[in-house]
Amino acid sequence: MTTIAVGGSAGGSAISGTARFMSGVNVLLFVTIVVHLIDVITGYQAFAVRFFLYFVLTIYAWLVVFNRGAATLDFGAAKLPLALSLWMFLIPYAASFPWLNIITGTETFIFLVTFIPAWPLFLMLTGGTRTTKIALILYITAWLVIGFPTIMTTLGNDLGLAKAIIPVDTFKTIYQGYDRFTKGLGVIGKNLWDLPVNIFRGVIRAASGEYYDYYTGSVDKNVQEPLGVYIEKVKAADPKYYENDVVVIYGLLKARTLDTTIPIKISYSCYEEDGENKKLFTARPGTTFNVESFDTIDLECNAHNLPVGGHTIKLAAEFEDFPTYGYAKVYFMDRERLRSLEKEGIDPFKFGGITDKNPEAKYTNGPVMLGMGTAGEITGISNAQTVPPRVGITIDNRWKGEVIEIKELFIQVPEQVTIPAKDSCGPRYEVTEVPNKEFSPETENDPNYKLTYKLKRISPGGKEEAKTPHTIFCNLRITDVKDFLGSTPVAIKYFRAKVNYRYKITDHASVTITKLSKGFIPSQGIVAVGSAYLPEKLSEDYNERKLQIIEAVKKYAVENQVPVSLALAVIDIESEFRHCCKDTSKRAGNDPNKCEPTNEKYCPGKTLKSDLNPPSIGVMQINSANSPIGCNSLEDIECNIKTGISMLRQGYILYKNGCRKAANYESIKAACENCKTGQGNFYHEYREWDAALRAYNGWGCPSTYLEAVNYVGSVNSRIAQYKQYEASS
């Protein structure tokens, strides 16, 4: 294997054969891996930081490794490190160049940029040290375990295989198995990444005297339950888009509440950040909705008018009124007895028969850690003490999201304990006594907890404080020390706390907008969007023309994850595959005898129209009050098909769990609850694609128009004849 030559004119000795260069190569390998990890973690977004890091890396590599052994600076030795650094610095930006978008808009390209880093790979192949050889073995192993499954997945997505309809859904099964595996690796990686930060936090707290005030805890209840709100599986509907396209991002929101009687209020938005500003896009389903108990909701974001280049679209969900409950076990002992034991060198825990010397606070799962405790292992108390005992409550963020605001904080104290004054928890908080049921209905009549206190922040800065770990101390008063301690050497008491907060989580997807070439602009001035699947002129023969339309429907249906047979059945019902009409006086209605179709793809003024006001137009009979989705004119047959199929997909996302659970339930409540089919079935019984069909036709139920109320059944009755096109799509 060729090794790195160093020293230029000084003799070209090899690093692998020169012991004094080995450490330099090993350090350089470590530095290049760290720089690449920073690139990956920041999404290649931090331009100034990346420029600085690669500049320093190049200088270091040149002077310490490639130029070592030379009597003078060999500028020729700088060529290779400069080339490697320029490659790694510039290649992620290739997606911004329109003429490269044909390859760079793919998931496969993004994966290769991340998984084939030029600098580390070069050093592993040519370094010749024991460390570089071990690193190469680990790299090859990583390719076998992670790389090949990933590239198979990305190639499947780029070639459309991931969206193919396979009866047994084998691809999805493989993909989900890989997805779980990589997410597990991600958790391990995050913990390793966070380790230096947590160590640094501990050092700072210890140096500031806060170490004993930062109470760590462990999840005690619902340890396996993903309580809270999660955004998962965020991805673009298509691997790449063209200018003027409507970019569609899908995601999955999962929510699970601790208290099934209290719903979570969720605010949903999607946007792109531009410095301090945000460009908001259309978020579906709606911007606010409530979740009770457990639910899974499909999210969609439609981004319009994105310029050519790379974009990062974020999906964000804020939720509030979500509680975290916690409790702490605290030890108390008579103060004089504790001092006496310490003087005699007797372990008070051993004296009291206590084996759990450092009990951890317990708190329910969720995005916020709620720690509790006291300053010492055992708190000494007496009626005569001047410094009151106190309890501390620590609030910290456990997730990658952001604590927006701490809304409420409650403390429940055991019998004989009070928080005596309004300022007992410091000048920033006002303490008030509240009924036990405000803490939790289950504790309203608990005989061991007579008092509940609510802390309200009265000084500014609460939102800033919520973003960082912070501890609140509350002074306590023991009303009767003797009764409180009882007859045992060590009294064990439990303190409870509850915090309600507002939290924000985000996830994102990256897309590339490609500039349309001149050849991509069809006749009539209509700008095509996405893939154009129909020829400029359709066949003169009706049956051949129908097959052409079917092929286009298959493409758009697969792209939008709509069953092909269902989309074709809708077209059959709506227009019998007619779009443009020869005789403009015979366009109304869907009677075949009233419209003799032409082979035109775009026919302004001659499109098949209904008798409604406003009319429904085109092959999918889309109400003209609707705007095209991802294209320019509903009178273009391809735009009509694309918009109609997109509407079916949107209807599925919004209504798949039934109209009663839809975000716009109030606006369709009357029809949802009262409308029935000719067979007597209520609209609110519809689920999934039946509900999507109902939404496509509209939620009304005119008594004289049976085709409307029976629309779902009519479409379903024709699906079977188009099933043959599912397998070939």
Side-chain angles (χ1 to χ4, degrees), residues 635-655:
E635 293 183 303
D636 176 80
I637 187 171
E638 195 146 5
C639 180
N640 198 282
I641 291 170
K642 186 171 186 177
T643 299
I645 290 175
S646 296
M647 290 172 63
L648 284 168
R649 177 63 187 173
Q650 291 172 2
Y652 175 82
I653 291 172
L654 188 57
Y655 300 108

Side-chain angles (χ1 to χ4, degrees), residues 1-6 12-18 21-22 24-26 28-29 32 61 65-66 80-81 84 117-137 139-140:
M1 179 181 290
T2 302
T3 56
I4 303 173
V6 298
S13 58
I15 287 180
S16 61
T18 308
F21 295 140
M22 287 184 178
V25 173
N26 295 340
L28 181 59
L29 175 62
T32 58
V65 177
F66 288 82
L80 184 55
L84 289 168
W119 253 121
L121 187 58
F122 172 78
L123 292 171
M124 286 186 285
L125 291 172
T126 63
T129 71
R130 182 179 180 182
T131 300
T132 58
K133 291 176 181 177
I134 294 173
L136 182 60
I137 293 172
Y139 177 75
I140 293 172

Side-chain angles (χ1 to χ4, degrees), residues 188-355:
I188 296 172
K190 179 184 181 301
N191 291 336
L192 292 175
W193 177 258
D194 288 344
L195 183 60
V197 177
N198 292 331
I199 293 174
F200 177 74
R201 280 181 174 180
V203 171
I204 294 300
R205 292 185 183 111
S208 63
E210 193 189 343
Y211 181 80
Y212 291 107
D213 301 333
Y214 188 83
Y215 310 106
T216 58
S218 62
V219 176
D220 175 53
K221 189 176 182 180
N222 298 295
V223 64
Q224 299 297 333
E225 296 294 341
L227 298 176
V229 177
Y230 298 75
I231 294 180
E232 299 178 348
K233 299 182 181 178
V234 175
K235 64 178 181 179
D238 293 314
K240 58 183 175 181
Y241 290 86
Y242 297 88
E243 55 184 334
N244 302 321
D245 235 346
V246 178
V247 174
V248 181
I249 306 294
Y250 292 121
L252 196 65
L253 184 143
K254 293 184 177 180
R256 184 186 291 273
T257 64
L258 181 65
D259 188 343
T260 58
T261 64
I262 302 176
I264 303 177
K265 183 180 180 181
I266 298 175
S267 300
Y268 166 57
S269 62
C270 61
Y271 55 85
E272 182 178 32
E273 292 178 333
D274 182 11
E276 296 295 325
N277 301 318
K278 291 181 182 178
K279 183 178 180 181
L280 292 173
F281 302 125
T282 304
R284 307 176 190 274
T287 55
T288 59
F289 46 87
N290 292 338
V291 173
E292 297 181 5
S293 186
F294 174 74
D295 207 351
T296 300
I297 298 172
D298 288 297
L299 301 178
E300 182 179 344
C301 177
N302 293 340
H304 300 258
N305 303 319
L306 293 179
V308 171
H311 297 270
T312 299
I313 311 299
K314 290 190 174 182
L315 275 59
E318 287 189 19
F319 58 96
E320 55 184 302
D321 298 328
F322 186 85
T324 293
Y325 293 89
Y327 70 87
K329 181 165 64 173
V330 180
Y331 301 128
F332 291 91
M333 179 179 280
D334 179 80
R335 190 176 184 186
E336 294 304 318
R337 174 181 283 181
L338 181 60
R339 286 181 177 179
S340 176
L341 292 173
E342 290 173 346
K343 286 180 181 180
E344 296 176 17
I346 299 174
D347 184 353
F349 286 104
K350 189 174 182 180
F351 178 81
I354 303 295
T355 57

